Amino acid sequence: AAYLAGAAGNVASLMLNASPFYGLGASGMIMGALGLLTAQSVPLKQAPRLPAKYLLGGMVAGIMLFLLLGLSPGSDFVAHLGGFLAGLIFGLALSSAPVWVLQSPKLNLLAGLAVIAFVLFTWWQALH
């Protein structure tokens, strides 16, 4: 999910930058991972409702970390924001998934193989 969030951030950066743009994309993936972690503070499946201060505390902490780390001078703000927002969306989707899906060894193996394929494909594209 972090890899896909970083890819979404880079796609957003490519679409919104007018001039040719070259970026590595690792920082967008880090911001995507931060978005995934931030989304974990939203208890979608919890029966007893937590007070709003816990929900807001986790979200505000994630947003503050994004502001601190993602807006440094000279960085690609669009890729960082796109990765963070995609990570939030993916994190909310994963936190609402059934437990058997998240703990399935076959699905985890398939996801690992998909990440390996994505990494090999992107490096192949970069080198050609």
Side-chain angles (χ1 to χ4, degrees), residues 35-114:
L36 286 165
L37 288 173
T38 302
Q40 295 303 309
S41 68
V42 179
L44 293 179
K45 293 189 292 187
Q46 222 168 15
R49 295 289 178 202
L50 291 176
K53 69 178 182 178
Y54 295 119
L55 172 74
L56 290 176
M59 291 298 285
V60 169
I63 292 169
M64 293 302 289
L65 279 171
F66 168 74
L67 293 175
L68 179 68
L69 300 172
L71 299 181
S72 61
S75 65
D76 186 5
F77 167 72
V78 176
H80 291 177
L81 181 62
F84 182 74
L85 293 176
L88 276 175
I89 292 168
F90 294 153
L92 290 172
L94 287 172
S95 66
S96 65
V99 175
W100 67 267
V101 171
L102 300 175
Q103 294 179 349
S104 170
K106 290 179 183 178
L107 286 176
N108 284 322
L109 177 64
L110 182 63
L113 293 174

Side-chain angles (χ1 to χ4, degrees), residues 18-39:
S19 61
F21 180 77
Y22 301 101
L24 182 60
S27 60
M29 188 170 95
I30 297 299
M31 293 299 119
L34 178 60
L36 286 165
L37 288 173
T38 302

